[in-house]
Amino acid sequence: PVCSMGNSTSRLYSALAKTLSSSAVSQHQDCLEQPDSARLDPIDPKDLLEECQIVLQKRPPRFQRDFVDLKKNAAANHRPIRVMQWNILAQALGEGKDNFVQCPMEALKWEERKCLILEEILAYKPDILCLQEVDHYFDTFEPLLSRLGYQCTFFPKPWSPCLDVEQNNGPDGCALFFLKDRFELINSANIRLTAMKLKTNQVAIAQTLKCNETGRLFCIAVTHLKARTGWERFRSAQGCDLLQNLKSITQGAKIPLIICGDFNAEPTEEVYREFSNSSLNLNSAYKLLSPDGQSEPPYTTWKIRPSGECRHTLDYIWYSQHALNVNSALGLLTEEQIGPNRLPSFNYPSDHLSLVCDFSFNQDPDRLL
C-alpha cells in the first residue's frame, strides 16, 4: 500500500494541497515567479523533511555522502555559498520514455519520488539550487521551495519531449532557486540557445545576484544541452552561444560566474574544451576532487537502458577561478552504493547524481585576472 502523507493536518499534505493544480501550467508558459504561493505561510524545512521521511518509511534510507574539504588557503571572511546542481529526471520521461530496464516502475511513482528529491535538497540545504528536467515546477517545486524562502524561476523547453507522454504534467525545463535572505536579484535573463544561427530546443537561465553579506555581485547560470551521440557539433554551438551571452552579462568576467548544467557531454567533447579555454577563465569544480586536480569524476550518471549500461560524466559546476574559491565539494556515490541495477532506484530518485559545492569570494580577484 502507498504510505499516507501523515494525518489530515500533515504539514506536507497541507502544503501540497494548497499548491497549484497541474492544469495551471498551461497558463504560465512564460514561467516566472507566481504570486499565489508567495502568500502562503513559510514552511520549516525540518517539518518538511520529517513529512518526506514519513512518506518514504518503506524505502531504504538515503545514501551517506560526505563533503571533501578543498580549502587551500585561509578561511573566507563570509559564509560560503552552497550551490547544488541536479538533473532530477522529468517524471514523464522516467515513466514514459527513458526505458530504465532495471528500475521497477514502483520506484518511479511521483508521490514518493518527489519526496526523495525534496529529501536530497533539504539534506544539503543549498543557498542556490539549479535543476534540469523539471516538469513539476508549478505544482510541486515552486509552491514548496518558495515557502522555504527561495525565489524561483523556470524556463521550459519550447518543445519538451514530456508533452509526447500521455498524462504528462506539462513541459520540462531548467529551474533556478536562490534564498531571498542571502541574495538580491539584480538581473535575470532567460536564454533560448542557438546553434548555427538557429534557435534550438535547449534553454538557460542566467541571474545576476548581489550577496547581501558581502555586497559582491556574481552571476549564476543553469542549462541543459542537447542529448544523444551524433550531436557533438550542435552541443558545441550551443555552448558557444551560452558563453557569448554570459560574456555580455558578466561584462567579460568582471562579475564572477558559476554555471551549473547537464551538458550531455563527456570531458573529451569540444564543448567541454570551449568552457575550459574560455576567456571567462572558468574551471570545473569537480576536477578538484581528483588527486591531481585535473580529472573529472568517472561518472555523474549511471543507468541501464535496453541498449546496455550507460556510465558517463555529463554534469558540471563551472566557476570563475580568478574570483571564487571552492571550499568543499560533495563526494559522489560509490559503485557499491549505486548497486547492480544502477539508477534511478528505490534509494535514489534520478539517473544523475546531485553535485554540491561551497564557494567563497576571492579576497583580491583583480590580481589574478
Side-chain angles (χ1 to χ4, degrees), residues 30-299:
D30 285 334
C31 22
L32 291 173
E33 288 84 338
Q34 299 217 46
D36 293 336
S37 46
R39 287 197 294 270
L40 297 174
D41 294 336
I43 305 172
D44 185 324
K46 287 183 187 150
D47 291 344
L48 185 54
L49 183 57
E50 198 177 289
E51 291 296 328
C52 286
Q53 286 162 350
I54 290 168
V55 174
L56 298 171
Q57 59 194 345
K58 294 191 179 168
R59 292 207 180 204
R62 270 186 74 256
F63 292 125
Q64 177 62 38
R65 295 168 68 186
D66 296 317
F67 280 89
V68 179
D69 190 351
L70 298 167
K71 283 198 294 288
K72 293 191 179 74
N73 43 25
N77 60 0
H78 66 90
R79 267 196 304 156
I81 296 168
R82 177 162 291 181
V83 176
M84 183 172 187
Q85 147 61 28
W86 200 12
N87 176 332
I88 60 171
L89 173 61
Q91 183 64 20
L93 300 184
E95 287 186 309
K97 282 195 162 219
D98 275 346
N99 293 319
F100 301 119
V101 291
Q102 298 291 93
C103 178
M105 285 302 285
E106 185 80 359
L108 295 171
K109 281 193 324 198
W110 179 242
E111 284 308 306
E112 293 180 17
R113 198 171 78 85
K114 73 179 169 194
C115 290
L116 275 180
I117 295 168
L118 290 166
E119 186 184 42
E120 181 94 343
I121 294 166
L122 291 162
Y124 298 122
K125 306 184 183 76
D127 300 303
I128 299 170
L129 174 62
C130 294
L131 302 179
Q132 299 85 37
E133 289 200 24
V134 179
D135 63 346
H136 274 270
Y137 176 80
F138 293 106
D139 66 357
T140 301
F141 294 104
E142 191 276 343
L144 286 173
L145 291 172
S146 66
R147 294 177 65 190
L148 291 169
Y150 289 92
Q151 184 152 329
C152 314
T153 306
F154 175 61
F155 193 26
K157 293 174 185 164
W159 314 293
S160 165
C162 293
L163 298 177
D164 298 335
V165 178
E166 275 188 47
Q167 297 183 311
N168 67 74
N169 199 64
D172 77 300
C174 291
L176 200 163
F177 308 85
F178 66 85
L179 285 177
K180 290 186 286 190
D181 66 353
R182 288 215 65 186
F183 312 106
E184 178 190 343
L185 179 64
I186 303 300
N187 179 53
S188 186
N190 287 354
I191 302 163
R192 185 168 166 192
L193 298 174
T194 63
M196 297 87 168
K197 300 191 176 169
L198 297 172
K199 289 191 170 178
T200 73
N201 194 34
Q202 279 65 45
V203 300
I205 303 168
Q207 297 191 330
T208 304
L209 306 180
K210 182 166 95 174
C211 173
N212 292 336
E213 189 180 338
T214 63
R216 299 274 292 268
L217 294 181
F218 67 101
C219 176
I220 177 80
V222 55
T223 196
H224 188 185
L225 301 187
K226 173 75 183 142
R228 309 253 182 274
T229 307
W231 292 84
E232 292 80 6
R233 286 186 60 207
F234 196 83
R235 278 191 286 276
S236 172
Q238 289 183 325
C240 285
D241 183 49
L242 180 56
L243 286 167
Q244 280 303 119
N245 274 282
L246 293 173
K247 276 176 196 167
S248 169
I249 289 167
T250 62
Q251 300 160 31
K254 284 193 180 130
I255 297 170
L257 176 61
I258 299 168
I259 309 159
C260 293
D262 174 356
F263 279 59
N264 275 308
E266 291 272 11
T268 50
E269 270 198 38
E270 190 181 338
V271 68
Y272 182 92
R273 290 193 292 277
E274 280 157 0
F275 272 72
S276 293
N277 301 328
S278 160
S279 62
L280 293 171
N281 196 17
L282 301 170
N283 194 18
S284 172
Y286 264 71
K287 276 171 36 179
L288 302 178
L289 287 182
S290 66
D292 61 358
Q294 298 302 310
S295 309
E296 291 290 352
Y299 51 84

